[in-house]
């Protein structure tokens, strides 16, 4: 996938412990954010929504153990959606869906809950739309302060694109680090360095945007794009159906977007390399699913 290749960072690093000497004297760009540690699993699939907003079918592409697949299926079939309107009429639609599961310690085992549900209609293989797509997305440089540091992560950027294809405004919505250990101070410093590098690069990005799309409201010219800072590719590093241990900071608000049910609540754990997610979403869950217990 072309966008994935453009945004994937490769460096001769291994993932592990963050050293104590990391970034002496570095200062964060904003107030410290609490760090959350959790195991996550992205479950990709398809969902068929009826004209009335019920679920007619749900299929997963990601490999799951039978017990988890069964329990998740039962939950999904109980969901209710706002009817999807096509040309003003409630319609039955089939759409991509991604359920992110979070596992937290519970005695000797783990408790699995729904972390979020999104509908990633666009990817590098299928651009955002014919009238809005990425053109020149030069990846960021690996931060000098992290040279030789054993760490990898992902920054989710949200950007508003102007009528000329330039990035008018960009925010690092959320960042997560993979499979790392360290104090909150050291973890925050890594997050800060990744975000600085991603934001600096994104300000020079260019998009293809039609004249018609260029005259629309800011929300319709806003996309979220993940930027990867990863170790040199290793077999099985990011296989589908694989639980990953991450640390992440809370999501930041995007000041130019209105508070609206039409906005997709997408965080860094909800995206994959090479995806380009529009701010606006056509599919809207009526059921409050975040935090629901799965097993």
């Amino acid at each position: 996938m072309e966008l994935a290749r453009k945004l994937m960072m490769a460096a001769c690093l291994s993932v592990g412990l963050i050293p104590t000497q990391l970034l002496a004297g570095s200062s964060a760009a904003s107030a410290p954010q609490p760090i959350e540690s959790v195991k996550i699993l992205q479950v990709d699939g398809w969902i068929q929504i009826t004209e009335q907003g019920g679920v007619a079918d749900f299929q997963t592409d990601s490999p799951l153990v039978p017990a988890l697949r069964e329990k998740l299926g039962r939950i999904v079939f109980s969901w209710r959606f706002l009817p999807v309107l096509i040309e003003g009429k409630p319609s039955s639609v089939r759409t991509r869906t991604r359920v992110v599961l979070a596992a937290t310690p519970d005695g000797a085992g783990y408790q699995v809950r729904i972390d979020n549900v999104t509908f990633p209609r666009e990817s590098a293989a299928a651009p955002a739309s014919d009238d809005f797509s990425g053109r020149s997305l030069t990846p960021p440089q690996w931060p000098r302060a992290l040279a030789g540091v054993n760490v990898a992560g992902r920054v989710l950027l949200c950007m508003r694109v102007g009528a000329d294809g330039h990035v008018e405004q960009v925010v690092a919505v959320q960042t997560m680090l993979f499979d790392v250990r360290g104090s909150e101070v050291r973890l925050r410093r890594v997050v800060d360095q990744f975000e600085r590098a991603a934001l600096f690069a994104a300000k020079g990005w260019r998009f293809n945007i039609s004249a018609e799309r260029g005259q629309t409201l800011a929300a319709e010219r806003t996309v979220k794009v993940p930027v990867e800072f990863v170790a040199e590719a290793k077999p099985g590093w990011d296989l589908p159906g694989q639980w990953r241990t991450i640390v992440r900071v809370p999501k930041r608000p995007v000041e130019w977007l209105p508070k609206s049910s039409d906005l997709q609540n997408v965080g860094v754990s909800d995206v994959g390399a090479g995806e380009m997610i529009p701010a606006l979403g056509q599919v809207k869950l009526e059921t409050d699913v975040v935090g629901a217990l799965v097993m």
Side-chain angles (χ1 to χ4, degrees), residues 187-222:
L187 294 171
R188 276 197 205 103
R189 287 172 178 168
V190 176
V191 167
D192 179 56
Q193 289 296 317
F194 280 168
E195 290 182 350
R196 287 174 186 266
L199 288 168
F200 182 80
K203 290 177 181 178
W205 286 358
R206 301 291 181 269
F207 289 79
N208 298 312
I209 186 168
S210 67
E212 182 179 357
R213 177 66 73 94
Q215 300 304 313
T216 58
L217 297 176
E220 296 183 60
R221 295 181 283 109
T222 297

Side-chain angles (χ1 to χ4, degrees), residues 8-287:
M8 182 73 73
M9 297 300 302
C12 296
L13 303 172
S14 59
V15 180
L17 179 65
I18 298 176
T20 57
Q21 68 270 27
L22 174 63
L23 302 179
S26 173
S27 59
S30 57
Q33 298 284 329
I35 295 285
E36 176 189 22
S37 178
V38 65
K39 289 181 178 291
I40 64 164
L41 173 66
Q42 289 185 347
V43 181
D44 287 327
W46 293 87
I47 193 167
Q48 183 79 35
I49 303 170
T50 67
E51 295 179 9
Q52 295 76 30
V55 176
D57 191 22
F58 172 63
Q59 302 291 332
T60 61
D61 300 332
S62 304
L64 298 174
V65 296
L68 181 55
R69 184 184 299 276
E70 179 183 358
K71 291 180 181 294
L72 178 61
R74 290 179 181 177
I75 292 173
V76 172
F77 275 100
S78 70
W79 291 351
R80 297 290 304 176
F81 291 79
L82 295 177
V84 178
L85 302 180
I86 298 179
E87 296 182 353
K89 297 181 179 180
S91 304
S92 176
V93 296
R94 178 178 169 86
T95 183
R96 295 291 299 176
T97 186
R98 175 172 294 150
V99 181
V100 176
L101 303 177
T104 53
D106 182 28
Y110 284 87
Q111 191 176 73
V112 178
R113 294 183 178 274
I114 293 177
D115 190 64
N116 202 14
V117 178
T118 56
F119 305 94
R121 296 178 298 159
E122 285 75 35
S123 68
S129 67
D130 292 337
D131 64 348
F132 192 9
S133 60
R135 183 174 75 208
S136 176
L137 308 180
T138 303
Q141 297 293 318
W142 188 272
R144 291 183 180 180
L146 298 183
V149 176
N150 302 331
V151 67
R154 176 181 297 155
V155 180
L156 180 62
L157 298 178
C158 183
M159 59 202 72
R160 186 184 69 209
V161 178
D164 59 358
H166 288 69
V167 175
E168 293 180 334
Q169 200 164 354
V170 58
V171 171
V173 174
Q174 193 177 30
T175 298
M176 67 182 179
L177 307 177
F178 298 101
D179 308 315
V180 295
R181 295 181 290 124
S183 71
E184 284 206 18
V185 172
R186 296 169 195 157
L187 294 171
R188 276 197 205 103
R189 287 172 178 168
V190 176
V191 167
D192 179 56
Q193 289 296 317
F194 280 168
E195 290 182 350
R196 287 174 186 266
L199 288 168
F200 182 80
K203 290 177 181 178
W205 286 358
R206 301 291 181 269
F207 289 79
N208 298 312
I209 186 168
S210 67
E212 182 179 357
R213 177 66 73 94
Q215 300 304 313
T216 58
L217 297 176
E220 296 183 60
R221 295 181 283 109
T222 297
V223 292
K224 293 182 179 180
V225 178
V227 178
E228 302 285 298
F229 294 85
V230 303
E232 187 173 359
K234 298 180 180 180
W237 186 82
D238 200 16
L239 290 175
Q242 178 177 275
W243 287 94
R244 300 298 305 275
T245 300
I246 66 163
V247 294
R248 62 187 176 188
V249 297
K251 283 181 282 191
R252 297 182 178 92
V254 179
E255 62 182 28
W256 68 82
L257 290 177
K259 293 182 179 179
S260 169
S261 61
D262 291 337
L263 297 177
Q264 292 206 73
N265 183 26
V266 178
V268 69
S269 308
D270 305 315
V271 298
E275 293 182 338
M276 182 171 163
I277 310 297
L280 295 177
Q282 184 182 29
V283 178
K284 306 175 188 66
L285 263 165
E286 190 173 36
T287 305

